[in-house]
Coordinates of all heavy atoms in Angstrom, one line a residue:
P25 N 0.6 2.2 -0.9 CA 1.4 3.4 -0.9 C 1.4 4.2 0.4 O 0.4 4.1 1.2 CB 0.8 4.2 -2.0 CG -0.1 3.4 -2.7 CD -0.5 2.2 -1.8
V50 N -5.9 12.1 -1.5 CA -5.0 12.6 -0.5 C -5.8 13.2 0.7 O -5.4 12.9 1.8 CB -3.9 13.6 -1.1 CG1 -3.1 14.1 0.0 CG2 -3.1 12.8 -2.2
A53 N -7.3 10.4 2.9 CA -6.2 9.7 3.6 C -5.8 10.6 4.8 O -5.6 10.0 5.9 CB -5.0 9.4 2.6
E56 N -8.6 10.6 7.4 CA -8.7 9.3 8.0 C -7.6 9.0 9.1 O -7.7 8.1 9.9 CB -8.8 8.2 7.0 CG -10.2 8.1 6.4 CD -10.4 6.9 5.5 OE1 -9.5 5.9 5.6 OE2 -11.4 6.8 4.9
I59 N -5.3 13.9 10.5 CA -4.7 15.2 10.0 C -5.8 16.0 9.5 O -6.2 15.8 8.4 CB -3.5 14.9 9.0 CG1 -2.5 14.0 9.7 CG2 -2.9 16.2 8.6 CD1 -1.4 13.4 8.7
E62 N -8.0 21.4 6.1 CA -9.3 22.1 5.8 C -9.9 21.6 4.5 O -9.1 21.2 3.6 CB -9.1 23.6 5.7 CG -8.8 24.3 7.0 CD -8.8 25.8 6.8 OE1 -9.8 26.4 6.5 OE2 -7.7 26.4 6.9
A64 N -13.2 23.2 3.1 CA -14.4 24.0 3.4 C -15.6 23.7 2.4 O -16.8 23.8 2.7 CB -14.1 25.5 3.2
V76 N -2.4 21.2 -1.3 CA -1.1 20.7 -0.8 C -0.1 20.8 -1.9 O -0.5 21.0 -3.1 CB -1.3 19.1 -0.5 CG1 -2.2 19.0 0.7 CG2 -1.7 18.3 -1.6
G81 N 6.4 12.3 -6.0 CA 5.4 11.5 -6.5 C 4.3 12.2 -7.3 O 3.2 11.6 -7.6
S84 N 2.7 10.6 -10.3 CA 1.9 9.4 -10.2 C 0.4 9.7 -10.0 O -0.4 8.8 -10.1 CB 2.4 8.6 -9.0 OG 2.2 9.2 -7.8
D94 N -8.1 25.8 -12.5 CA -8.5 27.2 -12.3 C -8.6 27.6 -10.9 O -8.2 28.8 -10.5 CB -9.9 27.3 -12.9 CG -9.9 27.3 -14.5 OD1 -8.8 27.4 -15.1 OD2 -11.0 27.0 -15.1
A99 N -5.0 29.8 -5.0 CA -4.5 29.2 -3.7 C -3.3 30.0 -3.2 O -2.5 30.5 -4.0 CB -4.1 27.7 -4.0
A104 N 4.3 24.9 -8.8 CA 4.1 24.1 -10.0 C 3.6 22.7 -9.6 O 2.8 22.1 -10.5 CB 5.4 24.0 -10.8
S106 N 1.5 21.9 -7.0 CA 0.4 22.0 -6.2 C -0.8 21.2 -6.7 O -1.0 21.2 -7.9 CB 0.0 23.5 -6.1 OG 0.9 24.3 -5.3
D118 N 4.6 6.1 -3.7 CA 4.6 6.8 -2.5 C 4.6 8.3 -2.8 O 5.1 8.8 -3.8 CB 5.8 6.5 -1.6 CG 5.8 5.1 -1.0 OD1 4.7 4.4 -1.1 OD2 6.8 4.6 -0.6
I123 N 1.6 20.6 3.5 CA 0.4 21.4 3.7 C 0.8 22.8 3.9 O 1.6 23.1 4.9 CB -0.5 20.9 4.9 CG1 -0.8 19.5 4.7 CG2 -1.7 21.8 5.0 CD1 -1.4 18.8 6.0

Side-chain angles (χ1 to χ4, degrees):
V50 172
E56 284 191 8
I59 300 171
E62 288 188 66
V76 295
S84 72
D94 290 345
S106 289
D118 292 345
I123 302 169

